[in-house]
Amino acid sequence: MKKLLFVISAVILTLTACNPQPKTTDNEFTMPAVDDIAMYQVNPRVFAPDHSLNAVAARIDSIRALGVNVMWVMPIYPIGIEKGKNSPYCISDYKAIAPEFGTIDDFKNLVRVCHEHQMGIILDWVANHTAWDHPWLKAHPDWYTHDAETDTIIHPRPWDWYDVADLNYDNRDMRLAMIDAMKFWVIEVGIDGFRCDVADGVPADFWKEAIDTLRAAAAPRHIVMLAEGKRSDNFTVGGFDMNYGWDYKDSLVHVFRDGRPASNLIAADKAEYDSLPAGKVKLRFTTNHDHSTEVTPCVEFTNDRGAMAAYVASIFPHGGALIYGSQEVGYPSPINFFRYVPVDWTAKPEIYQEYQQLIALYNTQPSLRKGQLTAWPDDNVLLFEKHLEGDLRFLVAVNVRNAEQTVAVPDTWKDEDVSNLMTNEVVRLKQELKLAPFEYLILKNED
């Protein structure tokens, strides 16, 4: 019976919240509110060895069917050759597209297709540095940072990114040229914002000027700005909508892999959100393009079940959900984004369906991501309630260990009739919850 209920539940979710919305025209598309975003990161180099923008567009139904509503596309600009290592973050032209990925018309088509499927699309922006053969370097050497002793242009410090040259944000003309290039993609191409690489390496006052200019130019359209960083002035000065939950991801790894108490996740969540201005969001993830170069979630969190448990522990305390293209099929090996890595999109359909079901709950049950969080500390089980005033209560339990665990049911939930939202099974809670290795429960009270 449980298996039958699971199948019925999966079918219902697939046919409703997870499926793409009816196609619309660009003029009818509106970006979701920042706290409603479920994001999908596109690394074009896992979609096709060439013309990969068209390959992404061809998969739009499968991507949208996950329930995501914003696509983040990694850099697609021409890549520098001088001192280069084929990194898409080594940019030689901010207003063009590398032939490897396609043409400007291919990208405009992807923007149109996303909007038709009620998805926003944001583009990776690299403002901290350029390729050594970017035209700016010869035309405007003063736009770059120089070594104080040798007066030579340097790579970004303290990193070992020798393939790129560090930009000088004391130069007003360079700032204006950078903003002009960003406006090109918003106004001429129609994207809905940017994910800004190494945002903490760029002065916050530049981000403020850039974001204010972009918002004014795009009006009345709303654009979303995501900072790859964790500085508080990303928000208080820069004006970003979202930045990275780096510390929370670190805590996930420490808890799942290193055996630290599950309650550390509650502390990490609180630490990130206590200082966050109202209306701002931390991007939460179990992997991204940087992390997947070393290890994928199904290995970092022990196995597929650990990866799914970690994902539940990541997205439901405060939202900000991200799926990195490839994790929805449980891709097992590291992905080097400096080259083409083929992904079998038909692998592990059960993992795809589980992500689909989780994002459907994320979308249809606002309390699960926006509600007030009440937690019960435990070493081995992440246990918390989410509740919005006037809505039902939700209890989330995540076994963070690869072994069976038992946790006490909170007094406010004892003898409650609850629905398991992953199976639709209705049960009455008693004194304890017994969880299989890496099992998670998402329960809704029936009152």
Side-chain angles (χ1 to χ4, degrees):
M1 179 60 71
K2 289 183 180 179
K3 290 182 179 179
L4 177 60
L5 287 169
F6 176 81
V7 172
I8 293 171
S9 174
V11 170
I12 291 172
L13 285 166
T14 300
L15 293 175
T16 55
C18 290
N19 268 2
Q21 298 298 311
K23 292 185 178 182
T24 65
T25 66
D26 280 7
N27 291 335
E28 294 173 328
F29 171 73
T30 302
M31 275 291 278
V34 64
D35 57 358
D36 289 331
I37 287 175
M39 190 175 295
Y40 185 88
Q41 181 184 358
V42 165
N43 169 9
R45 284 176 167 166
V46 302
F47 284 84
D50 55 57
H51 295 90
S52 49
L53 292 173
N54 289 337
V56 175
R59 289 202 55 80
I60 193 69
D61 287 328
S62 177
I63 293 170
R64 183 65 177 100
L66 282 166
V68 295
N69 53 22
V70 172
M71 178 187 290
W72 150 27
V73 181
M74 288 172 61
I76 53 176
Y77 320 98
I79 296 170
I81 303 299
E82 183 181 346
K83 301 184 184 181
K85 49 187 179 181
N86 207 32
S87 167
Y89 291 88
C90 177
I91 296 167
S92 62
D93 187 341
Y94 281 117
K95 290 186 177 181
I97 290 179
E100 168 192 351
F101 303 121
T103 66
I104 190 71
D105 286 337
D106 293 335
F107 187 63
K108 287 180 178 179
N109 177 64
L110 180 58
V111 172
R112 178 184 59 79
V113 167
C114 283
H115 289 173
E116 286 179 349
H117 287 78
Q118 286 296 287
M119 290 181 65
I121 180 168
I122 66 174
L123 187 55
D124 224 319
W125 193 257
V126 187
N128 184 71
H129 49 261
T130 75
W132 289 95
D133 46 6
H134 192 293
W136 287 359
L137 198 129
K138 288 184 178 180
H140 306 286
D142 55 322
W143 289 12
Y144 291 82
T145 307
H146 289 241
D147 182 88
E149 295 182 1
T150 64
D151 197 33
T152 56
I153 296 172
I154 63 172
H155 72 276
R157 307 289 170 81
W159 303 289
D160 60 351
W161 303 340
Y162 301 113
D163 61 328
V164 291
D166 192 59
L167 285 165
N168 172 22
Y169 274 85
D170 290 333
N171 190 292
R172 177 69 180 161
D173 290 336
M174 187 278 292
R175 288 183 174 222
L176 293 176
M178 183 68 71
I179 294 171
D180 176 71
M182 297 177 81
K183 281 177 63 178
F184 168 79
W185 296 97
V186 173
I187 303 305
E188 301 300 325
V189 182
I191 68 168
D192 304 296
F194 292 98
R195 176 267 186 188
C196 296
D197 186 64
V198 199
D200 287 356
V202 174
D205 68 315
F206 166 77
W207 291 126
K208 174 175 173 49
E209 181 179 9
I211 292 171
D212 286 350
T213 301
L214 294 172
R215 293 200 194 286
R221 289 194 301 128
H222 173 61
I223 62 170
V224 167
M225 300 295 295
L226 164 63
E228 187 209 16
K230 60 180 184 180
R231 286 191 335 219
S232 60
D233 64 4
N234 292 156
F235 300 121
T236 57
V237 177
F240 281 98
D241 301 292
M242 309 174 73
N243 74 357
Y244 270 45
W246 285 121
D247 293 339
Y248 193 83
K249 168 62 195 299
D250 289 344
S251 290
L252 271 178
V253 173
H254 290 320
V255 168
F256 276 80
R257 188 187 66 193
D258 303 334
R260 296 188 187 177
S263 55
N264 282 14
L265 293 172
I266 299 301
D269 176 75
K270 186 175 188 298
E272 286 192 338
Y273 268 87
D274 272 357
S275 61
L276 212 63
K280 306 298 184 179
V281 173
K282 285 282 184 178
L283 186 71
R284 293 277 172 83
F285 47 85
T286 53
T287 193
N288 54 43
H289 67 283
D290 285 316
H291 288 182
S292 279
T293 59
E294 299 176 358
V295 62
T296 54
C298 58
V299 175
E300 186 166 34
F301 298 103
T302 305
N303 54 33
D304 284 334
R305 298 318 316 148
M308 298 310 304
Y311 194 70
V312 170
S314 172
I315 69 170
F316 287 122
H318 264 107
L322 173 71
I323 294 177
Y324 175 53
S326 69
Q327 79 177 91
E328 75 266 35
V329 292
Y331 190 82
S333 303
I335 292 176
N336 185 333
F337 62 88
F338 288 54
R339 58 181 174 82
Y340 170 59
V341 178
V343 167
D344 179 3
W345 300 104
T346 66
K348 299 183 180 178
E350 70 282 1
I351 297 296
Y352 176 94
Q353 290 165 9
E354 191 169 356
Y355 277 111
Q356 188 181 56
Q357 196 172 3
L358 288 171
I359 296 297
L361 294 177
Y362 182 94
N363 289 333
T364 59
Q365 304 292 347
S367 287
L368 278 172
R369 56 195 157 82
K370 300 182 184 182
Q372 180 180 345
L373 187 149
T374 303
W376 292 270
D378 188 85
D379 284 349
N380 301 309
V381 176
L382 177 65
L383 185 66
F384 59 91
E385 175 183 307
K386 296 299 294 293
H387 177 232
L388 279 174
E389 186 175 353
D391 196 6
L392 297 172
R393 295 180 298 136
F394 297 83
L395 183 68
V396 180
V398 182
N399 182 358
V400 302
R401 310 291 179 224
N402 193 20
E404 185 176 289
Q405 300 294 332
T406 300
V407 65
V409 172
D411 289 342
T412 53
W413 284 84
K414 287 177 181 175
D415 298 318
E416 287 265 5
D417 289 329
V418 298
S419 175
N420 183 328
L421 294 181
M422 297 299 287
T423 66
N424 278 355
E425 182 183 14
V426 176
V427 298
R428 174 159 293 187
L429 295 180
K430 299 300 183 182
Q431 299 297 312
E432 295 178 331
L433 290 173
K434 291 187 177 180
L435 300 171
F438 292 134
E439 182 181 6
Y440 62 85
L441 298 172
I442 304 173
L443 307 175
K444 179 183 71 172
N445 75 317
E446 289 296 295
D447 292 344

